[in-house]
Amino acid sequence: MAFQGASSSSSSRQWASDVFLSFRGTDTRNTFTADLHKALTQKGIITYIDDDNLRRGEEISGALLEAIDESRISIVVLSENYASSSWCLDELIRIVECKKTKQQIVLPVFYKVDPSEVRLQRKSYGKGLAKLEGRFKDDRLQKWKAALKEVADSSEWRLRKKGSASEFIKKIVQWVSRVVNRTYLNVAANPVGVETHVQEINSHLSIGKNDIRMIGIFGPGGIGKTTIAKAIYNLIAYQFEGSCFLANTRETSKQDFGLVQLQKTLLCDILGKIGSLKFGDVDRGINVIKKRLRSKRVLLILDDVDQLVQLETLAGKCDWFGLGSRIIITTRDRNLLSQHEVNSMYKVRELDHNEALQLFSWHAFKKDRPDDDYLKLTEHVIQYAGGLPLALTELGTDLYGRSVQHWKSALDRYKRIPNKNIQEKLRISYDGLGDTEKNIFLDIACFFNGCDADYVIKILDNCGFFPNNGIKVLMDKSLITIDEFNRLIMHHLLQETGRQIVQLESKEPGQRSRLWFHEDVRHVLEENTGTNKIQGILIDLPEQDLICLSFEAFEKMKKLRIFINHNACFSEEPSFLSNELRLLDWPEYSVESLPSNFHGENLVVFRMRSSCLKGIKGFQNFQNLTILDFSNCKFLRKIPDVLGIPNLKEVTLDGCTNLVEIHHFVGFLDKLIDLSLQECSNLKSSLRSFKVRFPEYLSLENCSRLKNFPPIESLMECVRSIDLRYIGIEEELPSSIGCIVGLKKLNLQGCINLMNLPSSIHQLQYLEFLLLSEGHLKDHPFGIILLGNKIPDQFSDHKGASNSNSCEININEACEIDINEPAYLDGEMGGIAFSAVFGIMDGHTEDYFDFFVDISSDGSDQLCYYIRESFKLKGDYLQVCFGFESGSVFLKNCRVRMVYRHKEETTDHMLNPQDLGVLHEDVDVHLGVPDEDIENSIDMMDGIQLTKRCHDDDDYGNLESNWYPQRKRRSSTLDIKISDKRICHLVNHSYTNQITPST
């Protein structure tokens, strides 16, 4: 049965009456209602029953309205003639209002009438309302009908015509007694945000359905799980035959016979005194619970569960309890809920900014907003607390009544010495971890918060920490999350907890396992106080500075696994580096070689940007290396043999201006996914050939002395982007370029000696982005071609119109196109296709500028180009925004085409893959440019035959494979409106590419 319950706010309210009786006097005053009133009174339940002397005229009296308002429960006796009384119906309207505004409990009792008669206003209820309709011309009739329907939908306490009235009254009195006599749990004084969670969890509970459900509530410590569970208990407990809130399950179960005590508490709360039931172990307790509760409709809340055995001994299976029962479990560990196979799970989210501001203000200022003098400081506290109710409550209480100066001092102190109460609460989850998971947690807290998850996994895996499993454990225990950008995210306060745990290892920094605080790092390196206990060092000084490194500073750190230097310079070179290093990130390393003792056999990430290294001895020993970054190493002339490094995935050598060659075995690395050689101006030889499916990304930008692109000796399915801007390649690309079958982006801008594209370019059916240079390819102007989804061969047959001489795009401005699609066009819009031709302002030939495409919409499942964001018409318009963020660039012309997919599925019109996507016949683009310029831009598409793109790893795979041509219709034109518009911001998924124009 689903009744409106009392919330936490109503539980502490002082009601004048326990029960208000609403009834039709002529039907039941001297029979059923009189007996019910007597039975309630005998049980000590304060019951209000109206006096006939109060009923005068058509309007309900103020005294009666007040009586309804001040009653905890309203019992509505719906008898045969109830709807014939305007007085009863007005009472009912007020009762329904109190249910909504005061959380009053409403109990409808159907006295020898069918609930459907009340709900649908049939039979006597229909007749009664019909009689009243002639007397009342206002909106009261509709309110009466709505109120009747609402109470009829609530539940079915129904006395049938041949039923026993005395037994029925007995059940009602028992139910009311449970509500009136039960003890409410104390919920937070200021339960900001709790109500929303309660409403959402109630949808999971589905109170009223005659099944048995287990619901899990999970989240990190201090997020408010217990507070929410208490509020739910107060709201719904009265609806069950028995209820129990088992608090502190984790702590109690640790005690001797703790689980047995929890079992006995459970039975006692639900059944009452059970002195005759004696058991001394959990197995007997399980049998008693199953035997005594299997037929009872109960509410059981197990709060703060952290072990599966607690669930197995207190609520093993749903069939332990009667139909309609609900079991709610709160925990920090989501995996426990999965293991116990709960019916549904609910994750408690952090408070949003407004909720956090309100909660903090109630504790810090005893009102819902801060004082004006504290506004900025309050924002700092809220940012520090990160939406965690525990932290907001503790910090607000700590700062209440304090001066502005005290607040500033306290905020500085929190950064070094976190609040003790917060830390103790948050540390509980850490203490429950295994040793391996603890190491992972501390490494993330000290070094890797916000880093790419795959990157961190590579390092930790080589440390023997089994991170794939360990990170899942941390996620299950709500200690970390992985965001939509695949970054490991740890709440700021949990990060502080981890770092505090490390600081407590020793008062002496050199005796701790991890160093990150700049003063501690400087002390250890300059005073040579490091020890064998140090596993990781992060150097992040307040500003770039010199550290007077002791020559022997690293010699005692033989277990050093991680060394990250963000911004320190060193006065000396190290004489020793640990061979336990997995991550070595040391920019501006000042000597030509690494210490002779360093063999690098465990190294996974090797970053030495802008260093003075000339070479690496024993490079073949670096067998575990996956990431190599020697960007801007000006003294590096060649990369040694990499054949013995099979796991290498990323090689970055940008800005190595003296690099002459790279070892040809780089082209044979099976796992290489990223190879970047930008600005290697002296590189004369790249690779003899590529024989593997990788890399996904290859950049040779500004390798001006590089004369050839290596031939491709096998199909390369995973390559997505090749950047060949301003390389010295002569005449044409190798015909084997067609073997890069997965290529999406190819940039050839600035290739001054490149004369033609090989015919094999037509095989690149997934190509989306092709950039070419003015005058560098035969018969092609300077321009940019954006190859969208399903662009047909017929694209070059259509020309845009022009009105004026130019469309100039200044900095932070763009050209906006609104496409008005005629309503009579049939078929489903599948995408748009466009090309743009731009020019360079005089005197700006060497500038860099950004090209961007911004497709904005109000949401659809359609696909547009390579941008992973949906679009659809805004009313009659689709908005496409593109341009250049530079005053040196202007658009000459552009082409925009609509792509349609016909809705009718008929094989008669099915296209071959090469013919996919047909555009509307006529599109006018008014950019004010000569027709010949537009013809030049369109000619760039000639001979490029595109097929349908298939995507295995993105959101495009849900498109249907069969596309149909747009059928012939009466002649029409799509209106395309062009206007200059200042860009406020670009959407997250906009593609931005930096372009360097040639002279």
Side-chain angles (χ1 to χ4, degrees), residues 322-338:
L323 291 176
S325 294
R326 295 294 182 266
I327 297 88
I328 300 173
I329 304 160
T330 74
T331 181
R332 304 180 185 208
D333 192 344
R334 178 174 184 166
N335 189 49
L336 280 181
L337 302 175
S338 298

Side-chain angles (χ1 to χ4, degrees), residues 154-302:
S154 296
S155 77
E156 295 187 8
W157 280 67
R158 179 182 175 189
L159 175 64
R160 300 183 184 274
K161 293 183 179 181
K162 295 183 180 181
S164 171
S166 61
E167 287 297 320
F168 189 50
I169 289 172
K170 183 178 178 181
K171 290 180 179 179
I172 294 174
V173 173
Q174 289 175 346
W175 182 86
V176 172
S177 296
R178 287 203 304 270
V179 176
V180 172
N181 297 325
R182 71 188 175 100
T183 302
Y184 288 88
L185 300 176
N186 180 45
V187 181
N190 300 291
V192 177
V194 170
E195 183 178 353
T196 301
H197 291 300
V198 170
Q199 291 174 354
E200 292 174 354
I201 294 170
N202 258 336
S203 66
H204 290 259
L205 291 170
S206 298
I207 305 295
K209 290 189 176 181
N210 203 30
D211 57 358
I212 307 168
R213 296 191 182 191
M214 287 191 182
I215 310 299
I217 302 174
F218 70 97
I223 199 71
K225 300 182 295 297
T226 299
T227 301
I228 294 167
K230 287 180 178 179
I232 292 172
Y233 181 87
N234 287 345
L235 183 68
I236 67 173
Y238 73 94
Q239 302 179 43
F240 299 85
E241 295 179 70
S243 60
C244 174
F245 188 100
L246 276 184
N248 301 319
T249 305
R250 173 180 53 83
E251 287 296 328
T252 304
S253 63
K254 292 178 181 178
Q255 302 170 8
D256 293 339
F257 302 101
L259 287 174
V260 172
Q261 182 58 49
L262 287 169
Q263 289 175 326
K264 290 182 177 180
T265 302
L266 185 161
L267 289 165
C268 183
D269 285 357
I270 294 176
L271 299 175
K273 293 184 179 180
I274 55 170
S276 60
L277 296 176
K278 296 181 180 179
F279 54 88
D281 60 69
V282 292
D283 292 329
R284 288 187 175 88
I286 288 172
N287 290 329
V288 174
I289 293 172
K290 292 165 65 175
K291 181 179 179 180
R292 298 298 298 271
L293 301 183
R294 68 177 53 175
S295 60
K296 282 193 172 292
R297 185 172 183 271
V298 303
L299 171 65
L300 173 59
I301 297 182
L302 305 177

Side-chain angles (χ1 to χ4, degrees), residues 486-504:
N486 198 44
R487 296 177 303 190
L488 286 172
I489 303 297
M490 179 181 288
H491 192 283
H492 168 67
L493 292 175
L494 282 169
Q495 181 179 30
E496 280 196 352
T497 299
R499 292 184 168 187
Q500 183 75 0
I501 290 168
V502 173
Q503 286 182 325
L504 292 174

Side-chain angles (χ1 to χ4, degrees), residues 773-808:
S773 295
E774 183 177 16
H776 300 160
L777 293 179
K778 185 178 180 180
D779 299 326
H780 291 290
F782 176 87
I784 184 169
I785 299 296
L786 291 158
L787 307 180
N789 190 45
K790 319 292 184 301
I791 298 180
D793 296 336
Q794 297 96 318
F795 188 80
S796 60
D797 296 336
H798 302 279
K799 310 222 174 11
S802 61
N803 288 340
S804 58
N805 294 326
S806 67
C807 178
E808 181 176 337

